[in-house]
Structures are given as C-alpha cells and as structure tokens.
C-alpha cells in the first residue's frame, strides 16, 4: 500500500534524526513529532507518486494486490469445466509440476519454492533467505523450526513445519523430493566459494528478490494447464500469500495473534516488542489452521521406523542411494539428519498418491523405484515380492503408523467438553496409547518372526544343498573305490 511505503520513509527519517545526525540543524531543538518543513511537502508528493504508480501499473508491479487473485489449496467443487478460475489452485499447480518434472527442467525445485513459501505464508522471494545453519529439530514440540526472514523489515521469526495429507502441500515431502531429484543437498566448489553451503536454495542466490518473484510467478502460470491466458495472468507469486492468509483467517477460533505469528505482520500493539518471535510454538496454531487440524493439536511426524527397526540397515542403504549430501549437518548422526529422515518417511508415505495422480513413471516415483531396485530392497515379511512392491508395502506401514499417531493427537486436542466427560476422555487417551504400543510391539514381533522364518528357510535350503553335495560325494567316492578295486583285481 502507498501508506505503508510512506510509513517506511518516516521510520528511516526517525532513525537518521535520532541515531545518525541528531544535531543537524533540521532536527536540533525539535520535538520528536516536529518534522522539518521540507519533509512535510516531500511526504505529500511521495504519497501522490505512489498512488499514481498504483493506478498506472498492473500485473506484478502493484502495491495493494487488488488485481491479483488468491491461490487457494484446492477448489474441488465440481465446476472446474465451466469456470476457469475454479481450475486455478495449488493442487493443480503441484500436480502439473510433478507430472512434467525432469532432472533438467527444475520443476521439482520450483515445487519446493512454492510449497516452502505457501507453508510459511511468506512474501514472494523470501524463500531465498532460507539458511540451514538456522534450522534445528525441536524435540519438545516434535517438529523442525526453520526460521523465516522478512524481506521488508529483515526481521526473523520462528517457523514450525508440520505434515499434510496432500502430497503437494506436505513441506517434508516437497523438500525431500527437491533433495532427491535435484540434488538439493549437494554443493559444488563454486557454491562453497560463494558462501552458499547452507543456503536452502542456492539457485535463488543469483539476482534480486524481484527475480525470485518472477520465477515463482512463471512456475505458477505455466502449471495452470488448460486455463485461458487472461485468467492465468490474474495469478502470480503474490497469489500464494493472499490465498494462505485467507484460508488461515477462515479457521474457527483463530485469533489475530495466531495469524501474525506465522505471517510476520505486526499487530501495532506495544506487546509485539515483548513476544518471543523465534519461538516456533507461536506459529503452530496458524500452521494447524492452514493444514486443516485443530488449532491446539501437537505436531505428528511420519516415522520410517514404522517399517520395523530390523530393517534399519536397508533404510540407510536406500537413503544413501537417493540423497547426495554435501551439507555436513545433514550427514548421518548430525543435527539435521532427523529432518532428512522425516522428509524420507514423508516421501515413502505419499508414494501411492503420487503414482495415482502423476503416474508411476514420473520423476519422483521412478527415482524411488529405481533406487529400491538398485539396492535390491527386500523384506522378510513379503517373500518373493520385487523391490517396487516392497516399497509400496513400506508406504502402507508408514502411512498407517502416521494415521494412528495423528488420530491419537487429534483426540487429545479435542479434550473433554464437560467436567463429567473428563474421566472418559482420560481413559480413552490411555486406551489409545496402549493400543498404539501394542500395534508397534506386534509389528516388531511380526518382523522378528518373518526374519526367523526366512533364516529357517535359508538354513533348510543350505541343509538340502549340503545333503545333495554329500550324495554326490558319496557317489563319487563309490565310483573311485570301484575303479580302485577293478585295478587291484587286474594286478592279481
């Protein structure tokens, strides 16, 4: 808005008169609210210039965004064939990017830019400032904190990340796909020399923020397949933030403080200065609203150990085949490896959905399947199944485990509605927890039994093979004895 820009100019002037040149003749002996005459006229002229610019420019170069349509998560209303704007949503954009992605065209990375920006409700171009050195996994909250930097004010605030049931809006799966398909964690000598070792998106470090905004806008518009050009022009990188803020604001019981904790806006109240901006917990209610959860629900992460701890060695072999890691903090045993492992679990969890919507030959699915073939993925519980089938079985396990944990946290978030139901709620929570533990124990026991059966089958096979060898040796020995006896008889 023009008024916003004028306000920024005022803040700069205040900084100059208090910090840089307080004894300048224009400021000396004046109260803080008493401005020089030249500034009063300049302020009016600048505001008029901003208003003229806003009226004369359309497309991306606008201040208020009045001509930019919101890009919502999904417009599934059955009328897409008749109304072009109904076809314009994040779901369509992400599916199109995944269908047409190759290792050369950068569409998988574009999907990560869009998801990272949408999930953080960030301004266009702000995903450029992401830095791995600031990331960490919050073990109390059970989710990563990936601090977000504002391009306008350069303020930084905590940004927790949670999962989603749609693959295209699950930050973990999108980042994992970028790491896997575009070598997002690899670093060459040139990138290291330029100080881009910890840049989340090194390819965005070249050029201005406006250049990043244009890249996001082009990615969105080119992915709206079958939409008339005049309709596509209504959507840009700014559409992401507009759509996400609107969706958060529509959530029941959401408050202004919850919204701005994730969007980075100021409330204008004095309390802003006293809030711990870096606390990721502050951004959780709005994240839950964005992903369709109860506002007070605790985060749930997919866990690759759901395939059985006995398969840990195969999990690590598969991850080694998928990820080229040049950023030290993501190496096994380092502080960010848990985030990479969560991304991997999310990728496995969403695999059947991506195969269904984008095809088994899309870059994402084929890369996973090829890696499973390369390491010869097996599971004793599924004897005779090929690596691709085993991977799909693992997907079901990870998905089922996630759903059980999600449902349990959802029950806890609802809580007792009346005092009388408190005891019943507490009992149900304990029962749900016990059931989850029993299921995990059963899963581990099934894996142990399957491994024992496989070992017994292998040993039986070895015994049969040894018996066959023994039979052959006996026949050979008998033949040699017969030959020796014949020669002995001939000599006599």
């Amino acid at each position: 808005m023009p008024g916003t820009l004028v306000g920024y100019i005022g803040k700069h002037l205040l900084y100059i008169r208090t910090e840089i040149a307080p004894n300048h003749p224009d400021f000396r002996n004046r109260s803080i609210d008493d401005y020089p005459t030249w500034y009063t006229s300049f302020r009016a002229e600048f505001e008029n210039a901003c208003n003229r610019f806003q009226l004369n420019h359309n497309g991306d170069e606008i201040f208020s965004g009045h001509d930019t349509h919101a890009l919502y998560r999904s417009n599934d209303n059955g009328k897409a064939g008749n109304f072009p704007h109904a076809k314009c949503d994040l779901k369509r954009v992400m599916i199109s990017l995944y269908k047409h992605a190759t290792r050369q065209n950068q569409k998988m990375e574009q999907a990560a830019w869009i998801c990272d920006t949408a999930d953080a409700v960030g301004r266009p171009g702000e995903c450029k400032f992401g830095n791995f050195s600031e990331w960490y996994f919050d073990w109390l909250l059970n989710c990563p904190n990936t601090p977000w930097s504002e391009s306008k004010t350069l303020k930084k605030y905590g940004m927790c990340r949670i999962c989603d049931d749609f693959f295209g809006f699950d930050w973990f799966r999108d980042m994992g796909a970028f790491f896997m398909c575009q070598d997002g964690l690899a670093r060459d000598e040139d990138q290291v020399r330029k100080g881009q070792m910890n840049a989340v998106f090194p390819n965005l470090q070249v050029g201005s923020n406006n250049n990043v905004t244009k890249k996001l806008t082009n990615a969105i518009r080119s992915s709206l397949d079958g939409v008339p050009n005049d309709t596509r022009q209504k959507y840009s990188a700014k559409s992401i933030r507009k759509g996400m803020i609107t969706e958060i604001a529509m959530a029941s019981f959401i408050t202004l403080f919850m919204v701005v904790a994730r969007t980075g806006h100021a409330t204008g109240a004095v309390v802003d200065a006293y809030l711990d901006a870096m606390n990721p917990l502050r951004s959780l209610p709005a994240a839950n609203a964005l992903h369709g959860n109860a506002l007070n629900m605790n985060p749930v992460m997919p866990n690759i150990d759901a395939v059985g701890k006995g398969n840990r060695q195969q999990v690590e072999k598969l991850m080694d085949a998928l990820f080229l890691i040049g950023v030290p903090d993501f190496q096994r045993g380092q502080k960010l490896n848990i985030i990479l492992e969560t991304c991997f679990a999310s990728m496995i969890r969403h695999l059947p959905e991506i195969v269904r919507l984008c095809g088994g030959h899309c870059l994402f699915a084929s890369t996973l399947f090829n890696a499973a073939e390369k390491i010869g993925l097996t599971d004793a519980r599924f004897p005779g199944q090929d690596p691709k089938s085993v991977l799909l079985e693992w997907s079901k396990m990870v998905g089922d485990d996630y759903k059980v944990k999600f449902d349990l946290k959802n029950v806890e978030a609802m809580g007792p509605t009346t005092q009388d139901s408190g005891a019943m709620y507490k009992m149900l929570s304990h029962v749900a927890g016990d059931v989850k533990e029993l299921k995990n124990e059963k899963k581990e026991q099934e894996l142990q039994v399957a491994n024992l059966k496989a070992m017994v089958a292998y040993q039986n096979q070895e015994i049969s093979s040894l018996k066959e060898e023994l039979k052959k040796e006996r026949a050979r020995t008998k033949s040699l004895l017969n030959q020796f006896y014949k020669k002995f008889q001939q000599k006599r």
Side-chain angles (χ1 to χ4, degrees), residues 311-322 344 367-378 387 390-391 394:
N311 281 320
R312 187 71 202 179
Q313 189 175 359
Q314 291 216 77
V315 166
E316 292 179 355
K317 282 177 64 178
L318 185 56
M319 289 184 68
D320 289 342
L322 291 170
F344 175 63
T367 303
L368 275 171
F369 288 144
N370 290 341
E373 292 280 356
K374 181 180 178 181
I375 69 164
L377 184 66
T378 60
V390 171
L391 195 60
W394 277 16

Side-chain angles (χ1 to χ4, degrees), residues 6 16 34 59 149 152 176 189 205-206 217 225 235 269 293 299 357 363-364 367 382 391 409 420 423 453 462 483:
V6 173
I16 292 171
D34 186 13
S149 297
K152 279 189 176 182
E189 291 182 4
Q205 304 310 304
V206 181
T217 296
D225 305 323
Y235 294 88
N293 306 332
L357 293 173
L363 177 61
F364 177 86
T367 303
F382 313 111
L391 195 60
K409 292 295 182 184
D420 294 337
K453 285 182 177 179
E462 285 292 300
Q483 290 176 18

Side-chain angles (χ1 to χ4, degrees), residues 384-435:
Q385 292 201 24
D386 60 83
K388 176 180 175 181
S389 301
V390 171
L391 195 60
L392 291 171
E393 292 288 352
W394 277 16
S395 175
K396 186 175 184 301
M397 290 179 184
V398 174
D400 290 346
D401 178 72
Y402 174 83
K403 187 177 186 307
V404 169
K405 291 189 291 186
F406 182 91
D407 290 344
L408 178 59
K409 292 295 182 184
N410 197 30
V411 170
E412 291 176 355
M414 290 188 292
T417 54
T418 66
Q419 188 174 0
D420 294 337
S421 64
M424 180 63 71
Y425 159 76
K426 188 174 181 180
M427 183 185 72
L428 285 173
S429 295
H430 283 305
V431 169
D434 291 341
V435 169

Side-chain angles (χ1 to χ4, degrees), residues 426-474:
K426 188 174 181 180
M427 183 185 72
L428 285 173
S429 295
H430 283 305
V431 169
D434 291 341
V435 169
K436 179 177 176 292
E437 288 182 12
L438 288 171
K439 283 186 174 181
N440 288 339
E441 289 177 8
K442 181 186 175 186
K443 208 171 280 184
E444 289 299 324
Q445 289 171 355
E446 286 176 347
L447 180 57
Q448 289 175 10
V449 170
N451 284 331
L452 287 172
K453 285 182 177 179
M455 188 180 296
V456 169
Y458 174 76
Q459 289 174 342
N460 288 336
Q461 187 177 357
E462 285 292 300
I463 291 170
S464 297
S465 178
L466 288 171
K467 284 181 176 179
E468 195 64 32
E469 287 294 322
L470 181 60
K471 186 178 178 180
K472 289 179 181 178
E473 285 299 319
R474 283 177 174 171

Side-chain angles (χ1 to χ4, degrees), residues 82-239:
N82 300 321
F83 301 94
H85 283 290
K87 298 179 181 179
C88 302
D89 56 24
L90 270 176
K91 183 176 181 180
R92 189 182 188 92
V93 168
M94 300 303 272
I95 290 176
S96 175
L97 286 170
Y98 270 75
K99 279 184 175 180
H100 301 109
T102 67
R103 288 194 177 272
Q104 291 74 38
N105 64 14
Q106 214 180 27
K107 288 188 180 294
M108 201 68 77
E109 183 171 357
Q110 292 169 4
W113 299 341
I114 293 172
C115 182
D116 191 43
T117 302
D119 187 66
V121 201
R123 293 180 180 86
E126 289 180 344
C127 61
K128 169 184 178 178
F129 302 116
N131 196 286
F132 291 136
S133 65
E134 298 171 343
W135 287 19
Y136 66 89
F137 194 88
D138 191 309
W139 293 97
L140 178 63
L141 198 55
N142 189 38
C143 70
N145 182 19
T146 63
W148 194 260
S149 297
E150 281 194 347
S151 56
K152 279 189 176 182
T153 64
L154 298 183
K155 289 181 179 178
K156 199 181 296 290
Y157 47 94
M159 186 64 60
C160 70
R161 303 290 188 168
I162 62 175
C163 300
D164 196 89
D165 282 339
F166 171 53
F167 82 86
F169 206 60
D170 190 317
W171 180 86
F172 296 94
R173 199 218 50 78
D174 278 295
M175 294 304 295
F178 165 55
F179 297 155
M180 175 181 72
C181 297
Q182 310 274 195
D183 292 335
L185 292 177
R187 294 293 182 269
D188 57 35
E189 291 182 4
D190 185 55
Q191 290 171 329
V192 174
R193 188 172 57 253
K194 291 178 179 177
Q196 298 172 0
M197 172 64 81
N198 285 308
V200 178
F201 298 112
N203 290 331
L204 295 182
Q205 304 310 304
V206 181
S208 65
N209 294 353
N210 287 336
N211 186 43
V212 178
T213 300
K214 289 178 181 177
K215 286 183 176 181
L216 264 71
T217 296
N218 291 337
I220 291 169
R221 290 176 179 171
S222 64
S223 301
L224 295 175
D225 305 323
V227 175
N229 186 57
D230 60 336
T231 301
R232 274 188 282 138
Q233 296 306 311
K234 300 289 185 182
Y235 294 88
S236 70
K238 296 178 182 179
S239 301

Side-chain angles (χ1 to χ4, degrees), residues 472-487:
K472 289 179 181 178
E473 285 299 319
R474 283 177 174 171
R476 184 167 171 270
T477 302
K478 186 177 180 180
S479 175
L480 289 172
L481 286 172
N482 287 335
Q483 290 176 18
F484 175 78
Y485 180 75
K486 287 180 181 178
K487 286 182 180 179

